[in-house]
Amino acid sequence: MGENQKILHVFFKAGREYHSPPQDLFLGITYTSTPQIVVWMETLEGKYIDTLYITGKTSDSSYRSKDPAIDVVRRPEALPYWSHKRGIKSVDGLYTPDQHNSDLDGISAATPKVDYQVTLSAPRMGRYKLIMEVNRTYDFNEYYSKTRFPDDAIYSGTGSSGQPSLIYEAIIDSQQSGQHLFNLVGHGHHSGSDGSLYTELDNVTSAKQILEFIVANVE
C-alpha cells in the first residue's frame, strides 16, 4: 500500500433476503440467487472517481440463463446507477460491462454466500463519498411484480428483475480513522434505462433486507 493510499475495510452483514428462494434453471436443476454489489468513490459533489470493488457477474456479464442456448445474458438493470456513473458504453449500447470487459478484473470477485469483509484502497483526498449499490434477482413484491411494466422489454423480458437496485452511501474522511455506517439514499431504475437516483422508496420492501447493514472502517 503506497503512502497516498488509505486502507478501507467494508463489512457487509447479510440480511434475511440475501439469498433468493431456489429457482428452476433447467432439467430439474435449481440455483439460489445472491446479490450483485459494487462499491465506488465520488467527490462530495457527486463526481465519479473510481470503482473499488464489484461482484463478478456484473463485471463481465457472466450471468446464467434458463435457456441453455443463450451464452451471454445482459442485465443493464442490475447496477444501473453505478454503470451510468462509470460512463463506459459497451458495443451493444449498454453501460453495463460486457464479457470483453477487462478494466475491472483486479477488483472483481464472486459474491460470497455469507457475511463478509473486503479490503479496499483509496487515495488520501480528504472527504469523499463511498457509494454502494446492491441488487438481487427474483425479489418481486406487490408493486414490483412480474407484470408491473408489461411494455418494458428488459424488466418483463427475463421475468427475474424484481425490485430495483438500492444505493447506500457514507461520507469518508481519509485523514481520520474510524467506522462509517452506510445510509440508504435511493434506488436505481427498474430496468436500467437511465442512471438517475430515485429517492422515493415506499414501493421497495424486502430488498431493504438484502443487507442488514454495511460498515466502512478506515485505517
Side-chain angles (χ1 to χ4, degrees):
M1 199 71 62
E3 286 185 3
N4 294 322
Q5 297 292 307
K6 213 48 177 164
I7 300 175
L8 299 173
H9 301 290
V10 180
F11 177 74
F12 303 94
K13 174 64 176 176
R16 63 175 181 265
E17 297 294 330
Y18 190 83
H19 299 89
S20 75
Q23 304 294 317
D24 292 326
L25 191 57
F26 54 85
L27 300 177
I29 299 173
T30 63
Y31 76 101
T32 299
S33 175
T34 51
Q36 292 303 299
I37 295 172
V38 63
V39 179
W40 73 98
M41 295 174 64
E42 292 184 1
T43 66
L44 295 181
E45 294 73 33
K47 181 180 179 181
Y48 173 86
I49 300 173
D50 196 15
T51 302
L52 304 180
Y53 170 81
I54 187 169
T55 45
K57 288 182 180 179
T58 301
S59 71
D60 60 5
S61 283
S62 55
Y63 299 103
R64 296 182 183 180
S65 171
K66 291 184 177 182
D67 184 346
I70 298 177
D71 294 327
V72 179
V73 178
R74 302 288 279 135
R75 285 195 54 215
E77 79 281 10
L79 302 171
Y81 187 59
W82 163 78
S83 65
H84 282 80
K85 285 272 189 176
R86 176 171 170 260
I88 300 176
K89 189 179 289 188
S90 298
V91 293
D92 58 5
L94 299 177
Y95 283 96
T96 189
D98 63 21
Q99 67 273 26
H100 304 296
N101 176 75
S102 61
D103 69 294
L104 301 170
D105 289 351
I107 58 171
S108 63
T111 307
K113 301 296 184 183
V114 294
D115 307 339
Y116 63 107
Q117 178 172 281
V118 294
T119 298
L120 316 172
S121 63
R124 296 179 186 267
M125 56 169 291
R127 298 175 72 240
Y128 59 89
K129 288 182 181 180
L130 199 58
I131 314 291
M132 195 212 75
E133 188 171 15
V134 59
N135 198 358
R136 203 208 74 207
T137 52
Y138 305 107
D139 60 346
F140 298 102
N141 64 12
E142 184 175 356
Y143 181 83
Y144 290 102
S145 65
K146 290 186 178 182
T147 59
R148 171 55 61 181
F149 306 103
D151 298 324
D152 188 321
I154 293 175
Y155 184 93
S156 302
T158 63
S160 63
S161 295
Q163 295 168 74
S165 65
L166 294 183
I167 295 99
Y168 297 78
E169 72 173 40
I171 304 298
I172 303 297
D173 187 338
S174 62
Q175 305 305 316
Q176 295 185 5
S177 299
Q179 291 188 339
H180 305 267
L181 186 67
F182 282 73
N183 297 307
L184 177 61
V185 295
H187 69 80
H189 190 274
H190 60 267
S191 66
S193 65
D194 64 48
S196 298
L197 175 67
Y198 296 86
T199 57
E200 175 55 63
L201 291 162
D202 288 349
N203 293 319
V204 177
T205 55
S206 58
K208 296 174 182 176
Q209 298 302 318
I210 293 174
L211 294 172
E212 188 171 330
F213 61 83
I214 315 105
V215 176
N217 186 48
V218 181
E219 290 184 359

